Amino acid sequence: MRKIFILLALLLLSGCQTNSVKSRAMLESPLVFKASESTKGLASNTLYFPESTTAEVKFPTVILMHSCAGITPKNRGDLERWKNLLMNNGYAVLVMNHLSSRGVPVNCGRFKSLGQGRLVRDVYDATDFLSKQMRVDANRIFTLGFSLGAMTGSSAASRSQYSYNGSGKTRPRAVAGLYGGCVYGGAMYWLDTDIDLPVLWLMGGKDQEAPANDCQNVFKRLRNKNLMKSHLYPDATHCWDCMGLDGFSKKAGNGNYVTYRYNGEYTRDSERRVLEFFNSFK
């Protein structure tokens, strides 16, 4: 009987180890990108082009990056609004989804299934894919992220992250983000002082999930680099552009209880600043 129990235990352990290996392999698997022939929709890891009568035109392109919640029914409309704004202003848009193909429902909190390195590699994989597309202007590839998406974009602007996770691949020309956190867990920098790409950083004065005060030391050390543009909306909470999440409350990863409030004025100003930033690169 004891031998049977030992055999069963070994079989269970073997199964757990196999599942663990499969899980790690899935988490580390590269994303697969494709181009759409439609201008409609928000399909994951899909590149959308604006309508054009000139086949030879090359479009500046934005990688649109979701928050740690992924693409959900509640934020889908807001992401699609940003996508349409960019396309209406002459940009192609790649809708990044780090999570769905890897079986990850959310990627929030201190112990994320997908860490900083894997997220950054996704960005470099995406820019590399875009640089090979005939209708993409490879010299004007940008990222626009929200919360964790903003943090991923700023990490991709880090010289050391590129050295570790993207060497030899195409990088973005510049990155922009709304309500991203500069420091996570008191130690891990997402907006680091070794950035060597231009960054637009929009923050909320009442954001308790990604407090603007966490960025002050980084800003001081970046002052002489002339790569950083930032703006603080004094009354903005986290997710101030999220119509679909207005009034949503939760306990954030840093322990603070937060409530999101949509602000139309700040949203329109954010749209203006993002477009002006991207348009400044010719």
Side-chain angles (χ1 to χ4, degrees):
M1 182 65 71
R2 185 181 177 187
K3 289 183 178 179
I4 293 174
F5 282 135
I6 292 173
L7 180 60
L8 286 172
L10 289 172
L11 287 171
L12 287 171
L13 180 60
S14 175
C16 290
Q17 289 174 335
T18 301
N19 288 337
S20 177
V21 170
K22 286 182 179 177
S23 177
R24 286 197 299 272
M26 180 178 288
L27 292 177
E28 283 301 317
S29 60
L31 299 176
V32 177
F33 304 105
K34 60 184 183 295
S36 173
E37 294 182 0
S38 171
T39 61
K40 308 295 183 184
L42 200 74
S44 296
N45 302 315
T46 299
L47 172 61
Y48 294 89
F49 290 100
E51 292 182 357
S52 174
T53 56
T54 307
E56 292 78 18
V57 67
K58 289 183 177 288
F59 293 99
T61 302
V62 177
I63 304 169
L64 193 66
M65 299 193 294
H66 56 69
S67 69
C68 71
I71 299 176
T72 73
K74 288 188 176 180
N75 67 22
R76 188 180 187 87
D78 296 302
L79 288 170
E80 194 153 13
R81 186 188 70 245
W82 276 102
K83 168 184 168 275
N84 292 337
L85 172 78
L86 292 163
M87 291 180 68
N88 289 340
N89 282 272
Y91 289 85
V93 177
L94 176 65
V95 179
M96 176 84 85
N97 188 336
H98 302 275
L99 309 186
S100 60
S101 66
R102 293 169 171 144
V104 178
V106 296
N107 198 45
C108 303
R110 187 184 298 271
F111 303 106
K112 298 176 178 63
S113 297
L114 300 175
Q116 187 178 29
R118 178 65 265 177
L119 296 172
V120 171
R121 286 194 294 276
D122 287 346
V123 175
Y124 299 141
D125 288 347
T127 50
D128 221 40
F129 163 80
L130 291 170
S131 70
K132 296 175 175 63
Q133 303 304 303
M134 292 294 294
R135 300 178 67 196
V136 168
D137 183 346
N139 293 315
R140 289 192 292 164
I141 299 172
F142 309 102
T143 72
L144 172 61
F146 308 91
S147 194
L148 182 60
M151 296 154 67
T152 301
S154 62
S155 294
S158 158
R159 185 172 58 253
S160 58
Q161 284 290 338
Y162 181 66
S163 176
Y164 297 146
N165 293 303
S167 184
K169 294 186 177 180
T170 305
R171 298 180 78 190
R173 177 77 177 273
V175 304
L178 280 67
Y179 40 87
C182 291
V183 183
Y184 198 86
M188 180 182 288
Y189 279 87
W190 292 79
L191 176 63
D192 211 339
T193 54
D194 72 340
I195 62 169
D196 56 0
L197 298 176
V199 175
L200 174 66
W201 202 248
L202 304 182
M203 305 168 289
K206 294 183 177 179
D207 187 344
Q208 295 302 309
E209 192 165 349
N213 285 340
D214 288 351
C215 297
Q216 295 312 308
N217 288 335
V218 180
F219 287 170
K220 287 177 184 176
R221 294 168 66 187
L222 285 173
R223 189 170 295 156
N224 296 327
K225 278 201 169 185
N226 296 320
L227 289 171
M228 190 79 204
K229 288 187 176 182
S230 65
H231 182 75
L232 179 71
Y233 297 106
D235 295 319
T237 67
H238 200 74
C239 218
W240 66 77
D241 66 320
C242 303
M243 294 180 69
L245 287 167
D246 186 32
F248 172 74
S249 296
K250 71 169 187 177
K251 184 178 181 180
N254 58 10
N256 291 331
Y257 286 92
V258 299
T259 299
Y260 299 165
R261 292 297 179 191
Y262 171 73
N263 187 303
E265 178 185 350
Y266 290 163
T267 297
R268 289 187 292 275
D269 190 72
S270 300
E271 293 171 347
R272 177 185 64 79
R273 288 178 186 274
V274 167
L275 285 172
E276 287 180 355
F277 180 65
F278 290 155
N279 288 341
S280 69
F281 299 94
K282 303 298 184 184

